[in-house]
Amino acid sequence: MSGSYENQKNKWKQNVDKTLQKFPERKEPFETSSGIPVHRLYEPEKPEDGYLEKLGFPGAYPYTRGIQPTMYRSRHWTMRQYAGFGSAKETNERFRYLLDQGQTGLSVAFDLPTQIGYDSDDPMAEGEVGKVGVAIDSLEDMEQLFAEIPLNKVSTSMTINAPASILLAMYIAVGEKQGVAKEKLTGTIQNDILKEYIARGTYIYPPESSMRIITDIFSYCQENLPKFNTISISGYHIREAGATAVQEVAFTLANGMAYVDAALAAGLEIDQFAPRLAFFFNAHNQFFEEAAKYRAARRMWAKIMKEKYNAQDPKSWKMRFHTQTGGSTLTAQQPDNNIVRVTVQALAAIMGGTQSLHTNSKDEALALPTEDSARIALRTQQILAHESGVTETVDPLAGSYFVESLTDEIEEKANEYIKRIDEFGGAVKAVEAGYMQREIHQTAYETQKDIEKGEDVIVGVNEFTIDEEVEPELLRVDEKLEKNQVEATQRIRENRDADAVTDSLKKLREAAVNNENLMPFIVEAVKVYATVGEIANVLRDEFGEYTVM
């Protein structure tokens, strides 16, 4: 054990040296306010049996202690605040404001019609345009969204699923107009359709057709966008729907395996696409459980990729994930209290080793965030990064009896769920059978009962309430926005080359019928200003729409 441990430690030191050549540590030396040195890594004096298998070293299998040898000593996580409302022009102004305030990556929220593949002038979109995110109908909107934002310098995450292929195609086209080659684009599309059937409902096509589109994206990006993350497998929305931390890990990893299986069935090699898989987790209030959850999920995914799928590239074993603080934990009552909740949640994500982070604004239980509340949310991350000292050593919670026990328990219980899902034939079959949905609904019901009985205290809601609350200033979306967006979309249709659009949509339809990769045809369609709805409707005609039985 001793010799093996020392060998692994030496490998870690070699990895540190390589990392420091590319990403030097932020300062030297690291020390507390009392002048006490803070070491890069803390470890047991006498490692117990199983230490290397369970914890190991940061940047090495099984990645329990983080996916980088130096973690935040070299680089902080990406501060990627989620934003989007109203028109592309308004959202662009918010993006540029947040970048000026020190945000280091963009994260786009789309309105409901865009999320389910309808244009703003479609009757189905009435009353919803620009309400919960930005309205994107055509390439012109995407051009406005990223005006004066160089895509070769900014990483962009797009929370879009059923029409992810269309929005990615628009992003590629904007990059080309800016002179940025596809190969240089960096970012992530969520593209996680299975959790839509489980938790959110913004699906369009049946599961089988949706999985085909996803593998088309994998294949296209493997050849054309090597720096882009092709999927962000989301536990966030599963947790928002009422799941426990254990269910969040289990159902997310089960979905991840379904995407891997689909890609392999489509003929892709595991080590070709696995390094570009990314994950998206929630952060709730129970600090230690949340930190342990991330550590357990990393270890589980590493084992799955290495042992189940026989991936050879260590990059395939690494779970890279984004975290967002828990929207469902925010209260409309006493909204200033949400700043405290978000701080605790963000700290759990940091202590758990997240790669990027969004902190919710205090007013999000009431409306879209104001500029002031969005700035406070970003400042929360910056204070944790620069003033708390928690980023100065790797995995500061490692070795805690409580944290390590929680990590083991979460792994064990999550594996029990995965075993049950495997008995259905995998995540797709389990979704079609409604298994995960029923489990989440039951958990959400039990949680709500506990709150109503007062067994779970929610400060400001069922305890420590006040009689009269001051109504906070809220962001209101101008009612004229929908009319303006509809008119702009109709102008696009009038001014574009109609024959080129018709031809591009015809070719897309033929590709769908002939089982060709759809992405090149979608890219060509958006370049001639075919709209989101027009492209989605071609695929609706060929694939049908999914309805819950």
Side-chain angles (χ1 to χ4, degrees):
M1 175 66 189
S2 169
S4 176
Y5 184 87
E6 288 304 317
N7 288 340
Q8 293 300 315
K9 185 172 181 178
N10 287 333
K11 285 183 181 178
W12 169 72
K13 288 179 177 178
Q14 291 169 8
N15 287 335
V16 167
D17 291 338
K18 290 179 186 176
T19 300
L20 295 180
Q21 290 175 16
K22 192 173 182 181
F23 302 111
E25 290 184 339
R26 291 178 285 112
K27 59 183 178 181
E28 181 64 41
F30 287 92
E31 57 185 21
T32 71
S33 60
S34 303
I36 300 169
V38 178
H39 302 301
R40 185 177 291 126
L41 186 72
Y42 290 85
E43 53 189 315
E45 289 184 13
K46 293 183 179 179
E48 297 177 358
D49 288 342
Y51 180 87
L52 291 177
E53 290 74 20
K54 282 190 171 185
L55 274 80
F57 288 88
Y61 185 88
Y63 303 102
T64 312
R65 302 199 66 180
I67 64 168
Q68 301 296 343
T70 58
M71 287 301 289
Y72 306 135
R73 281 170 68 106
S74 289
R75 290 191 300 170
H76 290 127
W77 59 94
T78 301
M79 299 180 193
R80 193 188 295 283
Q81 291 299 104
Y82 188 49
F85 64 94
S87 69
K89 183 175 180 295
E90 288 175 295
T91 301
N92 172 267
E93 290 169 358
R94 174 65 65 85
F95 280 164
R96 287 193 283 127
Y97 170 78
L98 289 168
L99 289 169
D100 288 343
Q101 295 299 312
Q103 179 173 304
T104 53
L106 297 177
S107 184
V108 188
F110 297 95
D111 73 353
L112 188 57
T114 305
Q115 291 182 50
I116 49 179
Y118 290 113
D119 292 331
S120 296
D121 60 349
D122 192 296
M124 292 291 287
E126 187 174 349
E128 293 293 341
V129 176
K131 290 290 177 68
V132 298
V134 62
I136 299 292
D137 294 322
S138 73
L139 180 58
E140 182 177 89
D141 293 323
M142 207 70 159
E143 291 167 348
Q144 290 180 348
L145 184 65
F146 293 103
E148 299 181 50
I149 298 174
L151 298 192
N152 60 336
K153 296 181 180 177
V154 172
S155 169
T156 303
S157 173
M158 293 186 281
T159 302
I160 195 74
N161 296 282
S165 56
I166 306 171
L167 276 298
L168 176 60
M170 289 182 175
Y171 194 75
I172 291 167
V174 172
E176 286 185 7
K177 283 176 174 284
Q178 290 188 5
V180 182
K182 295 190 289 286
E183 297 79 10
K184 302 292 185 184
L185 294 173
T186 60
T188 304
I189 45 170
Q190 190 160 100
N191 196 27
D192 175 9
I193 202 63
L194 289 176
K195 66 94 176 50
E196 296 298 324
Y197 304 113
I198 296 168
R200 284 190 79 235
T202 64
Y203 43 73
I204 301 176
Y205 319 110
E208 186 177 341
S209 299
S210 295
M211 294 296 278
R212 171 194 163 178
I213 296 171
I214 287 170
T215 54
D216 281 355
I217 293 170
F218 284 1
S219 181
Y220 179 84
C221 290
Q222 179 185 309
E223 297 201 2
N224 295 279
L225 282 83
K227 296 183 177 181
F228 216 88
N229 297 320
T230 50
I231 194 167
S232 177
I233 305 158
S234 175
Y236 181 85
H237 303 94
I238 290 170
R239 191 68 177 280
E240 289 293 282
T244 65
V246 167
Q247 289 170 336
E248 180 186 358
V249 171
F251 298 164
T252 304
L253 269 57
N255 288 349
M257 286 186 277
Y259 295 125
V260 171
D261 291 338
L264 293 173
L268 299 179
E269 297 289 336
I270 188 73
D271 286 319
Q272 290 179 323
F273 67 87
R276 305 316 306 164
L277 302 178
F279 289 79
F280 175 23
F281 287 114
N282 210 311
H284 270 226
N285 289 330
Q286 290 203 8
F287 174 85
F288 289 106
E289 182 179 44
E290 294 301 293
K293 175 186 76 180
Y294 307 123
R295 300 170 84 249
R298 259 196 311 271
R299 186 162 73 201
M300 290 174 69
W301 188 248
K303 289 179 182 177
I304 288 167
M305 295 308 291
K306 187 176 182 183
E307 297 174 10
K308 178 179 174 68
Y309 292 106
N310 197 31
Q312 301 298 306
D313 187 346
K315 291 179 182 176
S316 298
W317 309 335
K318 292 182 180 182
M319 171 184 274
R320 296 166 299 110
F321 64 91
H322 170 72
T323 309
Q324 180 174 339
T325 56
S328 61
T329 69
L330 304 181
T331 63
Q333 300 90 336
Q334 301 178 37
D336 284 351
N337 294 348
N338 293 328
I339 298 173
V340 182
R341 293 185 178 101
V342 167
T343 303
V344 172
Q345 294 164 7
L347 184 58
I350 294 162
M351 299 291 265
T354 192
Q355 275 61 69
S356 66
L357 179 61
H358 165 86
T359 32
N360 288 330
S361 301
K362 65 177 183 176
D363 48 5
E364 288 188 48
L366 295 159
L368 291 167
T370 64
E371 201 167 85
D372 282 349
S373 63
R375 186 182 64 249
I376 292 169
L378 177 59
R379 293 287 182 261
T380 301
Q381 293 199 50
Q382 291 164 337
I383 289 168
L384 290 171
H386 296 284
E387 298 185 26
S388 69
V390 299
T391 63
E392 301 193 349
T393 186
V394 179
D395 194 18
L397 294 180
S400 158
Y401 298 124
F402 182 40
V403 171
E404 300 302 353
S405 176
L406 273 177
T407 303
D408 292 346
E409 288 273 351
I410 290 169
E411 180 177 13
E412 182 181 342
K413 292 180 181 299
N415 276 327
E416 289 172 6
Y417 270 115
I418 289 173
K419 185 178 178 182
R420 280 177 236 159
I421 292 165
D422 285 344
E423 290 168 0
F424 280 93
V428 176
K429 297 295 184 186
V431 166
E432 291 173 342
Y435 168 67
M436 290 181 267
Q437 297 93 310
R438 289 193 300 273
E439 290 292 310
I440 295 169
H441 293 164
Q442 184 61 35
T443 299
Y445 173 66
E446 296 294 338
T447 300
Q448 187 58 35
K449 281 202 307 184
D450 289 343
I451 292 170
E452 291 174 2
K453 289 187 290 187
E455 293 178 6
D456 287 352
V457 173
I458 310 297
V459 173
V461 176
N462 61 2
E463 286 283 357
F464 314 110
T465 58
I466 54 179
D467 293 333
E468 294 185 16
E469 295 196 37
V470 178
E471 188 171 327
E473 180 184 344
L474 300 177
L475 177 70
R476 307 290 183 187
V477 176
D478 192 333
E479 293 301 322
K480 294 178 184 175
L481 166 90
E482 184 164 337
K483 179 175 178 289
N484 294 341
Q485 184 69 21
V486 166
E487 290 174 353
T489 301
Q490 291 171 347
R491 276 197 305 274
I492 283 288
R493 291 202 184 94
E494 291 167 6
N495 296 330
R496 69 192 181 182
D497 184 336
D499 290 339
V501 173
T502 300
D503 184 57
S504 70
L505 294 178
K506 181 184 176 206
K507 289 177 179 175
L508 174 62
R509 189 182 301 277
E510 290 169 353
V513 171
N514 296 327
N515 206 30
E516 295 179 68
N517 191 308
L518 299 174
M519 277 303 299
F521 300 94
I522 295 173
V523 170
E524 290 310 308
V526 303
K527 285 182 179 179
V528 294
Y529 293 87
T531 65
V532 169
E534 289 166 341
I535 295 169
N537 285 339
V538 167
L539 300 180
R540 278 187 177 95
D541 290 343
E542 297 306 321
F543 298 151
E545 289 190 273
Y546 180 74
T547 53
V548 179
M549 301 299 291

